[in-house]
Amino acid sequence: MCGIVGVFGNKKAAELATLGLFAEQHRGQESCGLAVSNGSYIKLHKKMGLVKDVFTPEVMEGLQGNIAIGHVRYPTCGNSSEYNSQPHLVETLYGPVFSLASNGDITNYNELRAFLENKGVFFHSYNDGELIIRYIVYKLVYEKQTIVAAIRDLMHAIKGAYSTVFMMQKEMYIFRDPNGIRPLSIARLKDDSYVAASESCALDLLGVEWKREVKPAEIIRLSDKGMEVYENDAREYRANGNAHHCIFEHIYFSRPDSFEFGQNVYEVRKRIGEELADCDKVIPDVVVPVPDSANFIALGYAERKKIPYEMGLIRNHYVGRTFIKPDQTIRDESVYQKFNPLPNFFQDKIVVLVDDSIVRGTTLRKIVKLVRSKGASEIHLRIGSPPVRYSCFYGIDTPTQSELIAHQKDHQEIVEYLGVDSLMYMDLEMIRRVVPDPENHCFACFTGDYPVELDQEIAKSIEYKVWNFEFQR
Ligand code: SF4
């Protein structure tokens, strides 16, 4: 999971891009970077670490210009290292310099990288974003295509998810894969500059005049001519005609104040809670979310059942998201640092505890133990998604299939492992009802029905999710 930002035509481009990256920090905490153009050359600064630590006032001093793109990264394809961080920069002998930041995973990475390497293209990393920029630059330099033609060519050749910002010294292109798997929005600010971001929440703090989502397969060019839109019929590029927006963006990843895939995230989460409540016979004393992503799911549940909603667990926001810490040891230790129950709150209460999903189950098991130790008489766990049984190959770092608890254990075994009195998930029909156009969404981590082609290496590795291309090669 990653977040991207692009700013065009603003003399404070780097500052605005940094603000956008702050708003998207939840999408990736391993590394971050900015590429900034002053019209003549592009300066790149990227490092491991959080936005607040990497972009110090001294660093920002050196990033002057009116075009900027930025990226926050959580590694999925390619390991956690600075050379796999984004944006990527490619310089050419004949003058133009290109930079690119992208969110998503390419599912035919090996095949396309081999194609480019056979043509003499040299790679510095094992990151999807570098494959996209190298592909475009190859088409420009060796096949003399226009940039729009090169991006259209890329949309035919590359499979997977890629919400992308691409810049040269004087212009910027914003485009999204034909399946629209990851979100991407664009806004015009009151001073006529433009900002694009993975999540609309990153645009809201910038004085927006209008904003909208970038359509699947759409290409937007920003230059001294203003904004030009190159419409493409996304269905021409898709395997089965439909879009495949990631349902997990609504369930867990995106901020509730974002608008994406035509829906407000918080409204979708509340509808999930209402669906759960409608199917649940338990009458608890209190409904408690596992904060923060389950807050609105629990609110929808509590309002529908007319049961008190209480923030019985307090989250320490200065400990990273448990799900996106890559190391199991760190994850285990951070649970108790991260959640603390209110004093004397759970004693003798029947609790409906609400979470968005169960992945490995290790964190939830500890939370349940914590709540039980504070005197809860019954704990009924309600989950805002169906069981996660399959890995994601479109830009989310879910674990290998064999690590997913719903893949290893049956319902009763999970109940016993977690130590709850009862457990209820959304079923597939329920989760399909929370969006108005389920046919345009991806549910593959519940069904194993992958809507966008996987290359042979990935298809073979589904069980083990071998993602580190450095070791494959
Ligand atoms: S497999 Fe799951 S996490 Fe991945 S894009 Fe599809 S719905 Fe989203």
Side-chain angles (χ1 to χ4, degrees), residues 161 181-182 244-249 251 253 388 390-398 441-446 448-451:
I181 296 176
R182 300 279 145 234
H244 293 102
H245 310 311
C246 171
I247 194 67
F248 246 111
E249 291 279 354
I251 295 170
F253 300 116
V388 177
Y390 301 91
S391 302
C392 176
F393 296 93
Y394 307 132
I396 300 297
D397 182 53
T398 48
H441 285 71
C442 174
F443 301 95
C445 43
F446 314 129
D449 184 11
Y450 292 97

Side-chain angles (χ1 to χ4, degrees), residues 206-408:
L206 302 178
V208 165
E209 193 173 74
W210 61 254
K211 65 180 170 183
R212 71 166 173 87
E213 293 189 79
V214 177
K215 294 180 206 155
E218 187 176 30
I219 303 169
I220 295 173
R221 177 178 186 242
L222 300 171
S223 69
D224 54 8
K225 292 186 187 150
M227 175 169 147
E228 295 162 87
V229 175
Y230 296 85
E231 297 265 4
N232 294 303
D233 184 351
R235 289 168 301 181
E236 276 181 26
Y237 301 88
R238 297 173 184 156
N240 69 0
N242 292 335
H244 293 102
H245 310 311
C246 171
I247 194 67
F248 246 111
E249 291 279 354
H250 276 313
I251 295 170
Y252 172 76
F253 300 116
S254 293
R255 274 180 36 170
D257 49 339
S258 284
F259 177 90
E260 60 198 29
F261 315 146
Q263 302 288 302
N264 289 315
V265 175
Y266 83 92
E267 284 177 0
V268 173
R269 288 192 187 158
K270 280 188 76 177
R271 285 203 289 277
I272 290 172
E274 289 163 5
E275 285 281 342
L276 279 169
D278 287 346
C279 298
D280 195 0
K281 292 196 174 68
V282 167
I283 309 291
D285 295 320
V286 67
V287 179
V288 176
V290 176
D292 289 325
S293 49
N295 290 357
F296 286 93
I297 300 174
L299 184 61
Y301 180 103
E303 282 184 358
R304 181 60 67 102
K305 282 217 167 199
K306 299 190 172 39
I307 303 277
Y309 168 88
E310 298 280 1
M311 298 292 292
L313 287 167
I314 302 303
R315 180 180 163 191
N316 179 346
H317 287 92
Y318 299 95
V319 180
R321 285 183 140 195
T322 305
F323 182 36
I324 63 171
K325 282 281 184 192
D327 180 80
Q328 185 71 37
T329 317
I330 296 171
R331 183 167 35 249
D332 285 352
E333 287 172 357
S334 66
V335 172
Y336 295 115
Q337 295 169 26
K338 192 168 169 184
F339 298 105
N340 198 31
L342 290 179
N344 309 319
F345 174 79
F346 285 106
Q347 190 64 44
D348 299 327
K349 286 198 172 93
I350 301 172
V351 179
V352 157
L353 187 65
V354 181
D355 205 353
D356 51 81
S357 56
I358 309 180
V359 181
R360 294 179 180 86
T362 47
T363 304
L364 255 178
R365 186 185 198 204
K366 288 171 192 235
I367 291 171
V368 169
K369 200 169 156 197
L370 193 61
V371 171
R372 187 80 76 190
S373 73
K374 299 300 174 187
S377 58
E378 293 176 31
I379 302 173
H380 301 275
L381 185 60
R382 301 298 176 252
I383 301 297
S385 60
V388 177
R389 294 201 170 95
Y390 301 91
S391 302
C392 176
F393 296 93
Y394 307 132
I396 300 297
D397 182 53
T398 48
T400 61
Q401 197 168 296
S402 55
E403 289 175 274
L404 297 169
I405 191 169
H407 190 80
Q408 296 169 338

Side-chain angles (χ1 to χ4, degrees), residues 21 23 72 95 107 161 464:
L21 293 181
V72 286
T107 56
Y464 303 106

